[in-house]
Amino acid sequence: MFNYSEARATAEALIGEFGESATLVKPGTDAGYDPNTGDPIPSAPGSYVDGLITPLLSYKSTEVDGELIQTGDSYCFFHSDEAPEIGMVLTINGHGWRVVSIVDLTSVDGVNVFRKLQLRR
């Protein structure tokens, strides 16, 4: 039987060796009113996910389809106990990258080995 906990530890070690600490941020929103209905919209606090991230990797030109993967998109591998969300933002070398897709490698028992984040500027 495959040992997913051991694979997770290996993935964490590799991502930590070649990557660095990173924080994904989901900006909060201010309270307001829905312009269509006039109903109040409550404020929402921001959220953060800390973890380890690899350097940015480029998609092969054959993977770029102009829709799901666009020119300029990159990806990285991310390790954390918390799950990031699509739309979170990561700052790398002074540039903001938005998470547009997340691929999880998770066992049937729920052990997350790693996540692949598709990023767009």
Side-chain angles (χ1 to χ4, degrees):
M1 179 174 227
F2 189 79
N3 187 332
Y4 284 94
S5 294
E6 187 177 301
R8 176 182 168 86
T10 300
E12 179 182 12
L14 287 169
I15 292 170
E17 181 178 346
F18 296 105
E20 59 187 49
S21 296
T23 300
L24 292 164
V25 178
K26 179 180 180 181
T29 57
D30 294 331
Y33 291 93
D34 184 319
N36 297 321
T37 65
D39 293 334
I41 299 172
S43 63
S47 61
Y48 306 89
V49 176
D50 293 321
L52 298 171
I53 195 165
T54 63
L56 289 178
L57 301 164
S58 298
Y59 285 99
K60 297 175 186 173
S61 60
T62 56
E63 295 176 294
V64 176
D65 63 5
E67 292 181 30
L68 295 177
I69 301 173
Q70 298 178 5
T71 301
D73 285 1
S74 292
Y75 68 94
C76 63
F77 294 99
F78 183 71
H79 176 82
S80 177
D81 290 332
E82 298 177 62
E85 298 175 27
I86 291 175
M88 291 186 115
V89 177
L90 173 68
T91 301
I92 301 174
N93 298 327
H95 298 285
W97 293 83
R98 182 174 46 91
V99 177
V100 296
S101 175
I102 301 170
V103 176
D104 286 304
L105 177 59
T106 303
S107 73
V108 173
D109 293 334
V111 176
N112 178 260
V113 178
F114 66 83
R115 293 176 177 92
K116 179 181 176 182
L117 307 180
Q118 180 183 350
L119 304 170
R120 186 171 293 152
R121 283 174 68 177

